[in-house]
Amino acid sequence: TDAVDIDASQTFVFGKISVNPRANEIKFKILQPIGYFLDGQFRSADKRQISGGKNDDSFVGRFIRHLSGYFLVWRERAEKSSLMERKIKILLVVTQSDWGGAQRYVFDLATNLNKEKFTVVVAAGASPDGELFRRLNERGIKTVFLKTLRRSFSPFANWKFMRELRKVVAAEKPDIIHFNSTNAGVFGPPAAKIFPAAHPAPKIVYTAHGFPFNEPGIFKKILYVPSEFFAGFFRDKTICVSEADRRSALKYRIAPPEKLAVIHNGVDPKFPFFSAEEARRRLGISLRNGELLIGAAVNFYPNKGLGYLIGAAALVLKKYPKAKFALAGAGPEKAGLEKQIRNLNIRDGFSLLPY
């Protein structure tokens, strides 16, 4: 009882919270539905009005408020005690299992959380054989393939994803669900909160790896501003990876300031980076005297703006022919980028490398 700060004199209807986890579990399962019922009765009684505009002060009203108060306090302490006696379970959800920035973020979280305090499960869509799943399985972390979760916006598919997610939540019973990327973060929180598959409903965290309504095109703004606004009601915390994203969230009222946090992406200082010479050798790039290499590792998606880089590279190469450009990556825009490079006649100075 000391672990949950219960005074020796505090005795509730069904006694003190036991330090025996099994006893707490039994009490919690039996009494929790009663507590939820009385909680609802308490709120209803508190709102009822009688003549004179005063709250219901009848015997029944006072009895319900008094008894429900016991249950509410007991429920809060039981939940706190339960969490202290077991590991906290976190379900990390990301839209795609193919490797990318959001997947690297999820992988780093899943593999660096304290295993003595947390149990981690990672769920993702796109492919059951994605690189994220492969790396997590090598580290012994449980993965769940969400066959209905897709990157494209499809109302029918998204509804199926919400139903599938509820089944996963019912099976895993997480304490926290951490959504990553747009489709997971927009359609996942309502599914977990409106129709909770477990009681109490899990806490919802969402990391916005860039809001889609900030991308070019009026259609995305029309589609995603109301979608993100609606989903914001069901998130307990939204993490922005930049101050610019936080300002966007406030501008479009995606979440109130107290529910927003800025946590910048970082790089492990102990990561074994190659030297510049070794990196170029592995990429098959050789530089002559005076040549300068400009490059990036990136997924070939429209929102990356790689077409602007290629256009700028063509201007640079005209003035500085010793400059070299290279992009290492893959994605649906590869064919279009290759065509742009050919049309600008800069194939000798701009390379697309395998990822």
Side-chain angles (χ1 to χ4, degrees):
T1 56
D2 291 340
V4 289
D5 192 28
I6 298 178
D7 187 79
S9 63
Q10 290 179 305
T11 304
F12 306 107
V13 176
F14 291 91
K16 299 178 184 177
I17 296 174
S18 171
V19 295
N20 184 332
R22 181 58 180 165
N24 279 345
E25 182 180 357
I26 294 172
K27 284 184 178 181
F28 195 71
K29 287 183 177 179
I30 294 174
L31 300 179
Q32 187 195 40
I34 302 173
Y36 278 111
F37 169 75
L38 288 174
D39 184 13
Q41 293 297 315
F42 165 62
R43 295 178 192 277
S44 298
D46 199 41
K47 292 178 180 178
R48 286 199 297 267
Q49 301 291 315
I50 60 173
S51 59
K54 298 180 181 179
N55 288 335
D56 184 357
D57 199 33
S58 66
F59 172 78
V60 174
R62 286 185 283 111
F63 175 77
I64 289 176
R65 285 198 295 273
H66 179 74
L67 187 57
S68 62
Y70 280 123
F71 273 101
L72 291 175
V73 173
W74 178 88
R75 189 181 72 191
E76 180 181 351
R77 293 182 181 276
E79 290 174 358
K80 185 186 295 185
S81 176
S82 178
L83 285 177
M84 295 180 69
E85 292 164 353
R86 62 178 175 82
K87 293 182 181 180
I88 296 174
K89 192 168 192 178
I90 301 175
L91 175 63
L92 294 168
V93 183
V94 63
T95 302
Q96 297 186 111
S97 61
D98 299 331
W99 196 249
Q103 289 73 20
R104 176 84 223 189
Y105 178 95
V106 168
F107 176 82
D108 287 342
L109 280 177
T111 55
N112 286 284
L113 286 170
N114 189 331
K115 292 180 175 58
E116 295 181 358
K117 296 181 179 180
F118 301 97
T119 299
V120 180
V121 179
V122 177
S127 170
D129 304 315
E131 182 68 12
L132 174 63
F133 283 164
R134 186 188 69 77
R135 297 191 185 196
L136 289 170
N137 290 333
E138 288 178 353
R139 301 291 288 271
I141 294 175
K142 183 178 179 180
T143 58
V144 177
F145 173 55
L146 297 169
K147 62 182 180 181
T148 57
L149 180 53
R150 303 174 183 175
R151 191 170 188 268
S152 58
F153 190 98
S154 168
F156 181 66
N158 292 330
W159 171 250
K160 292 172 68 176
F161 158 63
M162 294 171 75
R163 295 180 61 186
E164 185 181 14
L165 177 66
R166 289 193 69 248
K167 294 179 181 179
V168 173
V169 173
E172 298 296 336
K173 295 179 175 59
D175 301 295
I176 301 170
I177 306 179
H178 184 170
F179 293 99
N180 295 268
S181 62
T182 302
N183 272 12
V186 166
F187 298 99
K193 285 285 191 179
I194 297 178
F195 309 109
H199 290 288
K203 294 295 183 181
I204 303 298
V205 179
Y206 170 55
T207 294
H209 299 271
F211 289 108
F213 51 72
N214 286 329
E215 297 173 11
I218 188 65
F219 175 74
K220 287 191 174 182
K221 193 176 293 292
I222 294 173
L223 181 64
Y224 283 108
V225 167
S227 298
E228 290 276 3
F229 176 80
F230 176 72
F233 286 103
F234 307 99
R235 301 167 183 158
D236 295 291
K237 203 74 173 181
T238 296
I239 298 173
C240 303
V241 297
S242 69
E243 179 60 28
D245 279 344
R246 190 188 76 87
R247 290 196 296 268
S248 291
L250 291 173
K251 176 182 177 181
Y252 294 106
R253 300 185 179 182
I254 304 304
E258 63 272 15
K259 285 192 174 184
L260 292 171
V262 176
I263 303 178
H264 300 285
N265 290 333
V267 177
D268 184 356
K270 297 180 180 178
F271 188 83
F273 287 104
F274 297 121
S275 65
E277 294 77 11
E278 177 65 12
R280 288 196 294 267
R281 186 188 69 78
R282 286 173 174 264
L283 292 171
I285 298 174
S286 59
L287 295 180
R288 301 182 181 89
N289 292 336
E291 290 184 333
L292 176 68
L293 177 64
I294 303 168
V298 60
N299 280 327
F300 298 159
Y301 290 132
N303 62 317
K304 301 298 183 181
L306 299 178
Y308 299 111
L309 174 61
I310 294 173
L315 299 176
V316 172
L317 289 168
K318 287 180 180 179
K319 191 171 183 179
Y320 302 99
K322 287 189 175 183
K324 299 290 181 182
F325 292 82
L327 295 176
E333 293 293 295
K334 184 175 182 179
L337 298 176
E338 290 175 332
K339 182 179 179 181
Q340 185 180 2
I341 291 170
R342 289 196 303 270
N343 292 342
L344 291 172
N345 195 27
I346 56 173
R347 284 178 291 180
D348 292 337
F350 206 117
S351 304
L352 297 183
L353 306 173
Y355 183 61

